[in-house]
Amino acid sequence: MESRFQEMKEVPIPADEGVKFVHHAEAVWQQRDPYGPPGFKGVFISYYATLCAAFAAIGGMVFGYDQGVVSVILVMPQFLARFTRVSETAPGAGFYKGLMTAMIELGAFLGAFNQGWIADKYSRKHSIVIAVVIFTIGSVVQTAAMDYAMLTVGRLVGGIGIGMLSMVAPLYISEISPPEVRGSLLVLEEFCIVFGIVVAFWITYGTRYMSGEWAWRLPFLLQMVPSTVLGIGILFFPFSPRWLASKGRDSEALQSLGTLRQLPVTDHRVQQEWFDIRAEVAFHRQSSAKRHPTLQSKSNLNSIKLELVSWMDCFRKGCWRRTHVGVGLMFFQQFVGINALIYYSPTLFETMGLNYSMQLIMSGVLNVTQRQLVGVSTSIWTIDRFGRRPLLLWGSFFMTISHLIIAVFVGKYSQNWPAHRGPGWASAALVSFVLFESSQTVCRDPGSLIHTAALLHVELWCDMGPSAMGDALRNLPI
């Protein structure tokens, strides 16, 4: 075993050709013995790792809840009475409504930008706690908001915590999961995002019947419940073995692996994975020292410089294509308009001629039937059964067809929807049953998330920030 570790550790890097990214993960996979069957069946074999991943995925639920909570709140009379600036009769209402909504995305962009070094310095699970604290502060400000400015600032601060969670939660799941079921466990993150959206929608759907401002303050308050559970509970789960190894805590990394796999540390599969992780860490250090020899001394200034140049490494020869694909996948995942429907689905259905009650009901059908029950839940099985790329391609195809048909209906009949109820309902049906079931939730959402994590080289996993930033950046204009 030790000779195999040394062989992997000493990866030759020709000086005259610069640093080459040696993608040796495939070779490692072919040599190691699996813990169980791949895909959905393996989830039940690796039950403790699945439990840890499911708990970390609560970060996705917090993200989804904070996105979905504004959908009904934006049309609540109780909310509009307090924040008259966003009411339909106020001048510039569209701008102020969009600005308030976009603050969470701007905050997420800033949070994802900074989470890389925080996760490296303080560990993955402790950086989750930091993100939860920041998110909780933002939630308190939103709940207590007395004017538009206070609410907007609260959305911005909460968004920073959301961006940090959206970057570190998939990273933690990736590093604790057995390779055979990593794809299926990463789907849990997306599942929890859409589950959070569904929960937020139906909570606000119910609280709209309350008199007074608690109709909208209560949903903002309740979003602190899952985040608090995550922030406290994650402390009782193991550290990432790879993070421990990166800090030279090899024996603790071995113990963490044994706990995660629920196997004795002497098991040959645990030993094999432990050597693989140590080899990857050694390779990371070797390539970093080769690229940036003057920044290896331990000092705060060098640490800052090394963090900045590590971002630049994402765009170096041998890695820039992976970075562009990762950022592009997350960017265009949102560019198709998914979050526009999450935020403004009642408004969209209003333009199709549906009354107020039916607007909310159709928004709920959109979220529950397609996004949560039919859509993402199937991906836990399909993502490893059919692969990431086929799901992405077929999802894009069906989404294109749906967009074209809806665009024709809206362009032709939007001037007088009451006289064209049939096309209006046809558009609503396509939005609900084709656009999101066949593409976004079944294919593009989980496919983009997992494909991005799989594309990045192991030494750039903690630089998943660019992809998370691309996700947030595209939502900002919405």
Side-chain angles (χ1 to χ4, degrees):
M1 287 292 183
E2 193 67 35
S3 61
R4 180 169 172 267
F5 167 68
Q6 291 293 339
E7 179 182 353
M8 294 180 61
K9 177 179 177 180
E10 298 173 359
V11 181
I13 303 177
D16 57 337
E17 294 183 17
V19 175
K20 300 286 188 180
F21 289 94
V22 182
H23 310 299
H24 55 276
E26 293 80 7
V28 170
W29 165 253
Q30 293 170 3
Q31 295 178 29
R32 64 176 300 275
D33 295 326
Y35 290 103
F40 188 67
K41 293 181 179 179
V43 168
F44 300 98
I45 302 298
S46 304
Y47 62 91
Y48 187 75
T50 300
L51 173 64
C52 295
F55 194 85
I58 294 177
M61 180 181 177
V62 174
F63 184 19
Y65 188 101
D66 204 41
Q67 283 187 311
V69 75
V70 299
S71 179
V72 178
I73 285 179
L74 285 174
V75 296
M76 279 187 183
Q78 303 94 319
F79 177 80
L80 298 177
R82 163 63 65 176
F83 304 100
T84 57
R85 187 175 291 185
V86 298
S87 63
E88 293 297 332
T89 57
F95 170 80
Y96 290 113
K97 182 186 294 187
L99 180 63
M100 184 200 73
T101 306
M103 282 300 101
I104 185 178
E105 308 301 342
L106 178 59
F109 180 86
L110 298 174
F113 181 82
N114 287 282
Q115 182 66 324
W117 70 268
I118 295 175
D120 267 343
K121 184 177 178 65
Y122 298 107
S123 82
R124 284 37 165 163
K125 75 173 190 177
H126 286 162
S127 66
I128 290 177
V129 176
I130 294 172
V132 166
V133 170
I134 295 174
F135 174 78
T136 302
I137 294 172
S139 298
V140 170
V141 175
Q142 291 175 67
T143 304
M146 300 303 295
D147 54 35
Y148 177 83
M150 187 175 178
L151 180 61
T152 303
V153 171
R155 297 286 291 174
L156 176 65
V157 175
I160 294 175
I162 287 296
M164 296 171 69
L165 285 173
S166 67
M167 185 270 187
V168 74
L171 177 65
Y172 180 75
I173 294 172
S174 294
E175 293 185 348
I176 66 172
S177 302
E180 301 88 359
V181 296
R182 184 170 292 133
S184 296
L185 294 185
L186 276 170
V187 171
L188 292 175
E189 171 77 4
E190 182 62 32
F191 180 89
C192 285
I193 290 175
V194 298
F195 182 73
I197 294 171
V198 170
V199 170
F201 177 87
W202 288 109
I203 285 177
T204 51
Y205 184 86
T207 61
R208 72 190 179 99
Y209 293 104
M210 298 173 61
S211 60
E213 294 187 346
W214 277 107
W216 59 268
R217 292 189 190 274
L218 183 59
F220 282 138
L221 178 66
L222 291 177
Q223 67 186 348
M224 289 184 277
V225 174
S227 65
T228 302
V229 171
L230 173 64
I232 296 175
I234 196 67
L235 296 173
F236 298 94
F237 286 86
F239 285 98
S240 159
R242 189 180 184 280
W243 180 82
L244 290 170
S246 71
K247 300 302 179 182
R249 297 157 64 176
D250 291 342
S251 60
E252 293 178 63
L254 179 60
Q255 292 296 328
S256 179
L257 265 181
T259 301
L260 287 166
R261 306 297 176 253
Q262 293 293 285
L263 292 170
V265 295
T266 55
D267 186 279
H268 73 281
R269 292 167 296 179
V270 175
Q271 290 281 327
Q272 191 175 36
E273 188 176 5
W274 182 50
F275 285 131
D276 292 342
I277 291 173
R278 293 166 62 194
E280 290 167 352
V281 170
F283 175 79
H284 184 191
R285 289 173 178 165
Q286 179 188 16
S287 57
S288 177
K290 190 75 175 180
R291 290 194 305 271
H292 314 295
T294 62
L295 301 178
Q296 300 306 307
S297 61
K298 300 297 183 181
S299 69
N300 290 334
L301 181 59
N302 279 347
S303 296
I304 295 173
K305 290 181 178 178
L306 191 60
E307 173 67 19
L308 293 176
V309 296
S310 68
W311 280 75
M312 299 304 297
D313 288 339
C314 294
F315 302 94
R316 293 174 67 94
K317 182 179 179 181
C319 198
W320 68 270
R321 287 185 177 87
R322 288 174 177 242
T323 301
H324 286 179
V325 171
V327 173
L329 281 173
M330 299 304 290
F331 183 91
F332 288 106
Q333 175 199 16
Q334 305 301 321
F335 193 82
V336 298
I338 172 63
N339 277 2
L341 279 183
I342 295 173
Y343 298 146
Y344 308 119
S345 54
T347 304
L348 174 65
F349 288 124
E350 180 182 9
T351 66
M352 294 179 178
L354 307 185
N355 59 41
Y356 177 70
S357 178
M358 190 57 65
Q359 294 164 23
L360 299 182
I361 292 174
M362 285 302 300
S363 297
V365 170
L366 171 69
N367 285 323
V368 176
T369 307
Q370 313 316 317
R371 285 195 58 80
Q372 198 253 325
L373 296 179
V374 178
V376 177
S377 58
T378 64
S379 301
I380 298 176
W381 173 73
T382 59
I383 200 71
D384 283 316
R385 175 65 177 83
F386 300 108
R388 286 75 157 157
R389 191 168 182 270
L391 288 181
L392 281 170
L393 293 176
W394 280 107
S396 299
F397 171 76
F398 284 114
M399 182 174 291
T400 300
I401 299 299
S402 301
H403 270 310
L404 288 174
I405 297 174
I406 293 171
V408 170
F409 280 151
V410 173
K412 190 172 182 180
Y413 302 114
S414 60
Q415 299 300 321
N416 189 11
W417 279 119
H420 302 91
R421 293 285 184 181
W425 277 104
S427 299
L430 281 168
V431 168
S432 298
F433 292 96
V434 181
L435 178 58
F436 292 98
E437 178 184 343
S438 64
S439 54
Q440 193 72 20
T441 57
V442 179
C443 305
R444 285 190 63 94
D445 274 351
S448 297
L449 179 66
I450 298 170
H451 208 58
T452 299
L455 277 170
L456 295 180
H457 189 262
V458 66
E459 68 177 282
L460 296 174
W461 274 0
C462 205
D463 289 326
M464 287 178 70
S467 296
M469 288 165 61
D471 190 8
L473 183 63
R474 178 57 195 97
N475 278 324
L476 187 60
I478 296 176

